[in-house]
Amino acid sequence: MTITNHKSFKNRRILSGILTCTAIALAYAPIPGLNQKIIVVSGTEFAEPLQQIETQFEQKYPHINLELKFQGSQDIINNYIDEKNDFNPTVLIPTNAALLDELNQRWQSQNNTQAFYQQPTAIAKTFLVGVAWPERGKILFPNGKFSWQQLEKAMAAGNWQKIGGKQQWGSFDFITTDPTRSNSGQITMNLWAQSKGSKNLNTPTVESLFSTVKRSVYLPPRSTDILLQEFIARGPNDADVATVYESIALYRWQQSGAAQNKPYQIYYLNPTVETVATAAVVRRDVNGATANAAGKFVDFLTQPEQQKVFVQYGFRPTHGNIDLLSVTNSPWNQNIPGAQVNPQISTLPAPQPSVLGEIQKLWQRVQ
């Protein structure tokens, strides 16, 4: 009897130990349903700040895994609607809020439901600006102000010598992004068309403009940040003037100086368009728990510390009344030629989805 009781007590101790170890393992093991993966698709100009913010977010929310993807802003919309991605996006962040309106309209026409879980949230903003290499900028814009008319005149002339530049500068090379894939190209063509004095895109004058630009811009890049990197790498003689966002123009300015000895100059367009990058949590193939995790990420982007990260990369904040000059490593403290904290320019609302659609159709139609 004593031996039996001893064995029984020993077995109970072993069983108790196993149960305790199991309980401890379960306490620290990831619980199914709590770990969430969210896939964020944004414009390429947000690659660096979002990669920095990703680390901070995952430290605060260790059970939420971020996966970042980067595409041209119009591509973000088209790829989502047409299901061209080989992944299921959770959050979309195009550069322009109007593109999310376009997505929602297209989605509703096909599905008769809302595309998003909640109202999209503004996270950062910027302007469309021009950049030019200093010597060329002085010839093209002698009064220091950006001019669509001067730009069109140079494109018509075809080379610098005909407009007062040096013969060795060769051909005049303007760069913008593909308006069928990128929002900055769409805004460029919309502002340029409006400089003609008409908001109607379907006129011979505007069609001629689109044709001139399309013939002049060889293989336009699919996104704005890719454009600026190519502009810097090619340098004068292969890339003279470009339209880009103020944010990446500020962020990559030092890089242009290192690559080409003399960095480019920034020119504010007047009027210009202020684009507001906006985040939306999509409904398709996203369950409630994942949407909740995505909502935490979107909220995180609007907090002061993350807004300051965007400022460091040249974006203007949408929350917190942050002073641009007070942020550590702010590009507005680097004496960048042409950069202004409060440029004296007028801003137009971003083009509506119907206008964006007309711009894409016209670009595809002209020769």
Side-chain angles (χ1 to χ4, degrees):
M1 179 69 69
T2 302
I3 295 174
T4 302
N5 287 341
H6 176 73
K7 286 183 177 180
S8 177
F9 176 71
K10 185 176 181 181
N11 289 338
R12 285 199 302 271
R13 286 187 61 187
I14 293 172
L15 180 59
S16 176
I18 292 173
L19 291 174
T20 300
C21 291
T22 302
I24 293 172
L26 288 173
Y28 287 92
I31 300 174
L34 285 183
N35 287 321
Q36 298 293 337
K37 175 183 176 181
I38 60 177
I39 298 179
V40 179
V41 190
S42 85
T44 55
E45 59 278 358
F46 280 100
E48 283 90 348
L50 285 184
Q51 285 164 354
Q52 181 175 332
I53 290 171
E54 175 185 19
T55 301
Q56 299 164 349
F57 178 78
E58 290 181 342
Q59 287 174 348
K60 183 173 182 179
Y61 297 99
H63 296 303
I64 303 176
N65 176 41
L66 284 184
E67 185 173 328
L68 302 175
K69 308 282 188 180
F70 303 102
Q71 300 173 354
S73 287
Q74 186 65 53
D75 278 347
I76 292 174
I77 307 307
N78 295 340
N79 291 343
Y80 181 80
I81 289 290
D82 299 332
E83 299 188 59
K84 291 183 178 179
N85 296 311
D86 57 2
F87 54 86
N88 294 321
T90 318
V91 179
L92 303 181
I93 313 178
T95 306
N96 187 347
L99 290 169
L100 290 178
D101 293 336
E102 176 194 339
L103 185 152
N104 197 39
Q105 290 176 20
R106 290 170 63 183
W107 178 265
Q108 286 182 315
S109 69
Q110 297 176 17
N111 301 278
N112 202 31
T113 60
Q114 292 290 324
F116 312 126
Y117 267 96
Q118 57 202 28
Q119 186 70 21
T121 302
I123 62 164
K125 58 188 179 182
T126 191
F127 302 121
L128 188 75
V129 300
V131 293
W133 302 107
E135 283 188 310
R136 286 153 175 75
K138 289 177 182 177
I139 297 296
L140 190 62
F141 309 125
N143 63 355
K145 295 181 180 180
F146 185 92
S147 166
W148 294 112
Q149 288 72 29
Q150 283 291 98
L151 197 55
E152 192 171 353
K153 178 182 175 182
M155 294 179 75
N159 68 70
W160 280 101
Q161 189 175 17
K162 290 183 179 179
I163 59 171
K166 297 178 182 178
Q167 181 180 1
Q168 59 265 35
W169 291 357
S171 62
F172 176 81
D173 299 297
F174 169 72
I175 307 178
T176 189
T177 57
D178 187 338
T180 67
R181 306 186 68 183
S182 168
N183 188 239
S184 67
Q186 294 169 348
I187 294 175
T188 294
M189 296 313 301
N190 190 53
L191 286 171
W192 207 335
Q194 289 191 36
S195 75
K196 298 289 188 179
S198 173
K199 292 185 179 181
N200 183 5
L201 294 171
N202 295 307
T203 66
T205 300
V206 173
E207 186 167 330
S208 175
L209 169 66
F210 271 63
S211 181
T212 298
V213 177
K214 187 174 182 179
R215 288 196 305 269
S216 302
V217 181
Y218 179 69
L219 295 177
R222 69 180 185 275
S223 70
T224 317
D225 193 42
I226 290 174
L227 179 153
L228 190 55
Q229 292 186 62
E230 289 183 1
F231 182 85
I232 292 170
R234 289 164 61 178
N237 292 356
D238 287 321
D240 299 306
V241 183
T243 48
V244 298
Y245 297 121
E246 179 194 37
S247 54
I248 58 171
L250 293 172
Y251 173 60
R252 295 205 180 278
W253 178 77
Q254 288 187 334
Q255 181 182 333
S256 75
Q260 301 296 338
N261 295 324
K262 290 184 179 180
Y264 51 66
Q265 162 103 21
I266 293 174
Y267 294 87
Y268 287 93
L269 315 184
N270 190 19
T272 190
V273 168
E274 182 181 73
T275 67
V276 182
T278 306
V281 180
V282 296
R283 286 186 176 273
R284 187 177 65 204
D285 298 323
V286 176
N287 61 35
T290 303
N292 183 57
K296 287 182 170 63
F297 173 66
V298 174
D299 289 341
F300 189 76
L301 295 177
T302 68
Q303 300 307 307
E305 288 309 306
Q306 284 63 252
Q307 290 286 290
K308 290 178 182 178
V309 171
F310 287 127
V311 170
Q312 291 171 344
Y313 287 89
F315 289 95
R316 295 171 182 263
T318 54
H319 298 76
N321 296 317
I322 296 170
D323 177 9
L324 298 179
L325 297 175
S326 69
V327 176
T328 303
N329 297 324
S330 168
W332 281 276
N333 286 324
Q334 296 175 13
N335 297 317
I336 296 175
Q340 299 176 40
V341 173
N342 296 302
Q344 299 304 301
I345 55 176
S346 60
T347 58
L348 302 175
Q352 292 300 304
S354 59
V355 175
L356 297 177
E358 286 299 316
I359 290 170
Q360 293 176 67
K361 291 176 184 176
L362 183 53
W363 183 267
Q364 290 172 324
R365 187 169 70 240
V366 300
Q367 299 298 320

